[in-house]
Amino acid sequence: MESAYRQWEKRRDRRQYRTAERRSGNKVALAPKECRRLVQLGVCIALFLVVFVGKGVFPEQMLAARDKIVQVIQGDTDFRAAFASLGQSISDGEPVLETLGTLWVDVFGGEEVEVPDSGWKPLPLYTETVSHLQSGVTVHGLLTLALDEKEEIPQAAEVSETLPESSTPPAEESVQQEPDTTADAVQPTPVPDVIHVDYDGPALPANATMDQYNLGLAATMSPIEGAEGWWVSSPYGWREHPVDEEEKFHNGVDLAVNTGTSVKAFADGVVDYIGDSPIYGLYTQIDHGNGVTSFYAHCSELLVQQGQTVSMGDVIALSGDTGNSTGPHLHFELKKDGILLNPLYYIPSA
């Protein structure tokens, strides 16, 4: 029994003989590299046409061919010889359908496949393509084929005319939007970053303002919340200093309270520093984040350490009259991004 390779050689010799008889005239010889690329491209086109024609002829029987394909793959089919024969046929310029038919026989054998009539009717574009292939066109002819754009437009129109009327998508139905009830809801009034406050007094220091800033903190409280009988002994701004008896700018407010009154954290934060000086006595500062700091001075005792985390309302010190003072009180300052603010804007019931 002859091997598959020997059979392929015989078929190749016969094709070369038939091709030589059909050819006439001279041809331009291509380099081996160019021939190889042309063959590769032709094989790709041929495989595409196999799938295209197969789906067009028997679209419902494609699944039935699965068992046959699996059987061929598991068999002893010489695929190298089959595709080498396909490449040689393409190089020789044989018609496309004849070349594909030879490939089919080499791979699947020579059995005839009966295709039942499913009532499927091909579209005009498919029919014209098959007719063009049956006319003896070669793979080289397909590569050099140039379609006329003027002829494609009527074909497309003809295909669209064959579609049933039901395939036309229905017009989009108008969707009635539900009324937006959220627009009637009461929306919170946004708080401006800065509220301008009219001021016609002496010029303020460069690091001070009379405007009210939005601190951007979740919650705040008075540092003497719960104290009884307290009052503002000295406001924020220019004043005559009670000890020096000179006109000086007061960086905060003095809240008159009894000695030993609990001094509470204005808001959540971290103790920035603590200290003792001849002017402020015992003092501490808390960093609340968002550029906000609070300062507490003239305390009789400090109850926190530097770096300690505190929550709003925690007792951080006891009031007193240490430092340069005329009586027991709490000196309280607020800053936003280094700018001195009027603390009375942020102390309830002040």
Side-chain angles (χ1 to χ4, degrees), residues 46 49 86 93-101 133 136-140 142:
L49 292 175
L86 174 64
E94 294 191 2
V96 172
L97 291 183
E98 182 178 344
T99 301
L100 297 178
L133 294 176
V137 62
T138 63
V139 174
H140 179 72
L142 290 176

Side-chain angles (χ1 to χ4, degrees), residues 98-142:
E98 182 178 344
T99 301
L100 297 178
T102 303
L103 176 63
W104 181 273
V105 174
D106 291 342
V107 175
F108 297 100
E111 303 90 346
E112 293 184 359
V113 180
E114 295 183 1
V115 180
D117 186 9
S118 61
W120 175 79
K121 294 182 180 181
L123 297 176
L125 179 60
Y126 172 80
T127 304
E128 294 180 4
T129 303
V130 174
S131 301
H132 183 67
L133 294 176
Q134 291 176 345
S135 63
V137 62
T138 63
V139 174
H140 179 72
L142 290 176

Side-chain angles (χ1 to χ4, degrees), residues 215-220 264-274 283-296 304-312 314 316 332-338:
L215 301 182
L217 302 179
T220 62
K264 302 177 181 180
F266 174 69
D268 297 346
V270 178
V271 177
D272 202 3
Y273 55 77
I274 62 175
Y283 61 86
T284 183
Q285 177 168 294
I286 300 178
D287 185 354
H288 303 287
N290 201 36
V292 180
T293 59
S294 59
F295 181 76
Y296 314 78
V304 292
Q305 298 295 327
Q306 182 177 4
Q308 179 179 339
T309 301
V310 296
S311 300
M312 182 186 71
D314 288 349
I316 60 174
F332 180 60
E333 296 180 11
L334 277 179
K335 289 183 180 180
K336 167 70 172 172
D337 299 326

Side-chain angles (χ1 to χ4, degrees), residues 44-243:
C44 294
I45 295 178
L47 294 177
F48 168 76
L49 292 175
V50 168
V51 176
F52 179 77
V53 174
K55 286 187 176 182
V57 174
F58 43 90
E60 298 179 357
Q61 284 72 31
M62 290 298 291
L63 294 178
R66 178 183 60 185
D67 296 337
K68 178 63 176 179
I69 295 175
V70 173
Q71 182 181 2
V72 170
I73 293 177
Q74 295 176 348
D76 298 330
T77 304
D78 192 346
F79 289 98
R80 176 177 296 181
F83 282 96
S85 176
L86 174 64
Q88 184 64 38
S89 299
I90 294 174
S91 301
D92 294 340
E94 294 191 2
V96 172
L97 291 183
E98 182 178 344
T99 301
L100 297 178
T102 303
L103 176 63
W104 181 273
V105 174
D106 291 342
V107 175
F108 297 100
E111 303 90 346
E112 293 184 359
V113 180
E114 295 183 1
V115 180
D117 186 9
S118 61
W120 175 79
K121 294 182 180 181
L123 297 176
L125 179 60
Y126 172 80
T127 304
E128 294 180 4
T129 303
V130 174
S131 301
H132 183 67
L133 294 176
Q134 291 176 345
S135 63
V137 62
T138 63
V139 174
H140 179 72
L142 290 176
L143 295 177
T144 58
L145 180 63
L147 298 178
D148 189 354
E149 295 182 357
K150 295 182 180 180
E151 295 178 358
E152 287 186 358
I153 297 176
Q155 291 177 358
E158 182 179 355
V159 171
S160 63
E161 292 176 359
T162 60
L163 296 176
E165 295 181 359
S166 60
S167 63
T168 304
E172 297 183 358
E173 297 180 358
S174 59
V175 179
Q176 183 177 2
Q177 297 183 352
E178 297 181 358
D180 187 5
T181 58
T182 59
D184 299 334
V186 178
Q187 300 294 334
T189 304
V191 179
D193 293 335
V194 179
I195 298 176
H196 178 69
V197 177
D198 293 334
Y199 172 74
D200 56 0
L204 299 174
N207 65 332
T209 181
M210 286 294 180
D211 295 336
Q212 182 176 352
Y213 281 41
N214 179 13
L215 301 182
L217 302 179
T220 62
M221 66 177 296
S222 170
I224 55 171
E225 182 77 23
E228 296 180 358
W230 67 273
W231 55 286
V232 179
S233 58
S234 183
Y236 169 83
W238 290 101
R239 66 167 184 171
E240 183 179 346
H241 196 278
V243 177

